[in-house]
Amino acid sequence: MLKLEHIDKRYTEHYALKDINVTFNPHETTVIVGPSGSGKSTLLRSLNLLERPDSGQYTIDDRTIDLSQPLTTETLLWVRRKTGMVFQQPRMFDHLTIMGNMIEAPVHVLKQSKAQATKHAHELLAAVDLDNTADRYPYQLSGGQTQRVAIARALAMAPDYLLLDEPTSALDPELEAQVLRVLNDLAHENQSMIIVTHNMDFARHAADRMLFLEDGEINFDGTPDEFFNNPTERINRFLNAFKFNQNEA
Amino acid sequence: MFQFIATYAPQLIVAGIKYTIPLALISFVIAVVIAGAVAILRSYIPHATGFGKLGWHILKFILGFYVWIFRSTPMLVQLFVVFYGLPKLGISWLSPSGWSAAVMVLSLNTGAYASEAIRASISSIPDTQREAAAALGMTDRQIFLRIILPQATRISIPTLANSFVALVKDTSLASVVTIVEMFYLSQQLAAVNFEPLQMYLLVAVIYALFVTVLSFPQRYIQRWADRFVKEQR
């Protein structure tokens, strides 16, 4: 369980997050949506402390971290082992092969043996249908392929929660579909996931729970059924903007 | 003409092999070690507070001063200070021979320039790489040594190769601290045979040959280092 209480994050001009209180349950897929600049990414990045909130409490399992205090390296590394992150861009380590990317952290962070890490990596790559790319370098793969590797790389650390920050918004629709299929499979395997996305179709299909963020506040927290079929006036406007844009295109 | 080359080229080449090349290679190895250390220390952002932080500031200031002083003064002057100046302090272990003065100045000078090249290549690695590694739970040290440095090394190779070429030619300055390397020898020979034009052209050609031969490995090193990037030509 991940629990955020009274999370504040201020930049000089504005609040990125304003008194956020939310609990993420295990084995659920939570989809976070909202307009640009609403704090979605900041919220997600706060969960593995790439972004450091100014204050608030963060509870993982039965350990509570006071975010207004300086954090020890040990705490930081512990949080990051609990949470895997997939970014908008795949962020492959360009100097390592795909296999090198996969086993880098398992070998050097989890101290797995190379053989053990490699075996597990092959399984994960096979699951995203890319086992044949193990010996290639990232530049030899397409954007959609590297993003699938990035997901597999995060899963290699066996994180309790997989965090994804607009994982498909840099991809064209065909490649996006490949990545979404992988995520959909993961959702059905009950991998705990928290996803920031603009893809409403995906949200509708994969989400167990929807969060709508605006101006650093959670404006909606409920089921996708409620979100899409019985939306508030504000969410309706948000959803219509998507439809309008799609008809235009 | 042929007679001239046959007489003098072998002597010059022997001087080159005995002095120019060892001077260049030894100084370059030391320079790269210095440059790497200085670049890494100056790139490091410490988490320390209080006295630890102050210590880092002082260290970084000293390193910055070293780079500044060696980049903003002529190498010839540096050689004179070390070889003729330091002995005046009267401390015997500080009084270098011509050889050690040359190695000291060549490596410190090249190290200062190369450290800036390495520092630039370290900071050219996008922060997204650091974040991606941090998100996988890697420590700052692991991120630097295993993710940033290997990629920065590739980028710094052309500049380091350039520094090396400059260094080979700069060994000619060692003539002023009594080392009879190629250029000094050519001066001595020209003073006897009264053929300065032919003599200095010959030594120039031999420098060019040395630089060319010594630059061969760069191509292979670069090809190896570029294995993980798209063909750019």
Side-chain angles (χ1 to χ4, degrees):
Chain A
M1 179 201 64
L2 305 183
K3 186 174 179 187
L4 295 175
E5 289 167 289
H6 306 298
I7 298 293
D8 275 324
K9 173 75 184 175
R10 238 181 332 265
Y11 294 118
T12 35
E13 294 287 301
H14 68 293
Y15 274 93
L17 297 175
K18 228 184 289 176
D19 194 25
I20 295 283
N21 292 282
V22 63
T23 302
F24 297 98
N25 301 316
H27 311 302
E28 270 187 9
T29 300
T30 305
V31 171
I32 305 176
V33 297
S36 298
S38 58
K40 309 184 293 281
S41 285
T42 310
L43 174 58
L44 194 73
R45 290 163 57 87
S46 296
L47 289 171
N48 74 343
L49 299 179
L50 284 178
E51 208 74 61
R52 200 77 65 82
D54 299 321
S55 58
Q57 293 202 325
Y58 183 14
T59 306
I60 303 181
D61 300 337
D62 45 13
R63 182 166 166 183
T64 299
I65 301 157
D66 183 353
L67 294 171
S68 58
Q69 300 300 316
L71 301 177
T72 63
T73 307
E74 188 272 324
T75 307
L76 211 58
L77 296 180
W78 181 76
V79 170
R80 286 178 181 157
R81 273 165 60 165
K82 291 277 174 185
T83 53
M85 186 83 171
V86 176
F87 302 90
Q88 186 174 349
Q89 303 287 342
R91 301 196 185 179
M92 290 286 102
F93 303 134
D94 292 331
H95 62 300
L96 300 174
T97 60
I98 297 304
M99 183 52 74
N101 269 274
M102 291 293 297
I103 65 173
E104 178 68 22
V107 169
H108 293 100
V109 177
L110 300 181
K111 311 291 177 198
Q112 292 177 3
S113 75
K114 218 167 169 176
Q116 184 192 357
T118 305
K119 184 169 166 286
H120 189 208
H122 276 301
E123 293 165 12
L124 288 164
L125 284 174
V128 296
D129 207 16
L130 287 171
D131 199 24
N132 56 336
T133 66
D135 297 328
R136 289 193 221 158
Y137 282 101
Y139 81 88
Q140 295 168 305
L141 271 63
S142 75
Q145 288 175 320
T146 42
Q147 191 62 303
R148 276 141 67 199
V149 174
I151 294 169
R153 184 176 73 177
L155 290 173
M157 295 298 285
D160 291 352
Y161 285 79
L162 187 61
L163 315 174
L164 303 105
D165 190 3
E166 302 194 26
T168 63
S169 51
L171 302 174
D172 67 47
E174 196 180 348
L175 299 178
E176 177 173 27
Q178 296 173 356
V179 172
L180 292 179
R181 242 170 268 138
V182 169
L183 296 181
N184 207 33
D185 290 348
L186 284 173
H188 286 124
E189 288 160 21
N190 290 329
Q191 165 73 42
S192 314
M193 288 194 290
I194 304 166
I195 310 177
V196 170
T197 184
H198 287 300
N199 190 312
M200 294 302 138
D201 256 359
F202 173 76
R204 198 190 287 265
H205 282 107
D208 296 310
R209 174 175 173 205
M210 297 291 298
L211 290 184
F212 180 76
L213 244 72
E214 188 160 48
D215 297 331
E217 290 175 299
I218 296 176
N219 257 336
F220 176 91
D221 180 354
T223 63
D225 179 55
E226 204 181 333
F227 185 84
F228 288 105
N229 301 326
N230 194 10
T232 62
E233 189 270 332
R234 173 64 190 104
I235 290 169
N236 205 25
R237 254 191 299 135
F238 176 75
L239 291 172
N240 279 335
F242 277 90
K243 283 177 195 145
F244 180 68
N245 286 340
Q246 278 161 6
N247 290 340
E248 279 280 290
Chain B
M1 181 66 188
F2 177 77
Q3 186 58 42
F4 184 85
I5 296 173
T7 311
Y8 295 111
Q11 300 181 45
L12 288 173
I13 291 172
V14 168
I17 291 171
K18 270 173 77 177
Y19 296 106
T20 303
I21 291 181
L23 208 50
L25 288 179
I26 293 170
S27 302
F28 188 66
V29 170
I30 299 173
V32 169
V33 172
I34 293 172
V38 170
I40 289 168
L41 290 171
R42 292 186 77 195
S43 303
Y44 180 70
I45 300 163
H47 298 298
T49 50
F51 279 116
K53 196 170 185 178
L54 184 69
W56 271 104
H57 277 304
I58 293 170
L59 179 65
K60 284 192 179 195
F61 176 80
I62 292 170
L63 295 175
F65 181 78
Y66 150 67
V67 171
W68 171 76
I69 199 88
F70 273 88
R71 292 210 314 164
S72 52
T73 55
M75 190 167 1
L76 191 57
V77 174
Q78 295 161 14
L79 269 169
F80 271 66
V81 168
V82 169
F83 186 67
Y84 297 107
L86 286 189
K88 292 289 173 216
L89 289 176
I91 306 165
S92 60
W93 58 265
L94 252 178
S95 306
S97 65
W99 181 261
S100 59
V103 169
M104 199 189 294
V105 170
L106 285 170
S107 51
L108 283 171
N109 187 291
T110 306
Y113 279 95
S115 78
E116 288 294 89
I118 295 176
R119 203 156 72 101
S121 58
I122 289 172
S123 60
S124 76
I125 305 304
D127 198 47
T128 52
Q129 291 280 308
R130 191 196 58 76
E131 259 194 357
L136 287 168
M138 295 174 77
T139 61
D140 287 351
R141 186 194 166 85
Q142 288 173 324
I143 293 169
F144 187 76
L145 293 178
R146 305 196 51 84
I147 305 299
I148 307 295
L149 208 52
Q151 299 187 61
T153 303
R154 182 189 77 82
I155 294 170
S156 63
I157 286 173
T159 337
L160 288 180
N162 223 9
S163 296
F164 179 65
V165 167
L167 176 58
V168 173
K169 293 179 291 180
D170 285 341
T171 56
S172 62
L173 289 173
S175 59
V176 303
V177 292
T178 72
I179 296 177
V180 193
E181 44 66 63
M182 287 203 294
F183 180 54
Y184 197 9
L185 181 62
S186 71
Q187 283 177 293
Q188 290 177 340
L189 294 172
V192 176
N193 65 21
F194 302 112
E195 293 282 7
L197 179 63
Q198 292 179 38
M199 204 58 228
Y200 294 136
L201 281 177
L202 179 63
V203 78
V205 168
I206 294 174
Y207 268 112
L209 285 175
F210 273 34
V211 166
T212 309
V213 170
L214 288 168
S215 300
F216 275 144
Q218 189 207 342
R219 204 184 315 172
Y220 297 100
I221 294 170
Q222 190 75 57
R223 194 176 299 168
W224 170 79
D226 282 349
R227 69 200 178 283
F228 57 79
V229 291
K230 211 171 280 183
E231 196 90 33
Q232 272 152 357
R233 271 138 287 160

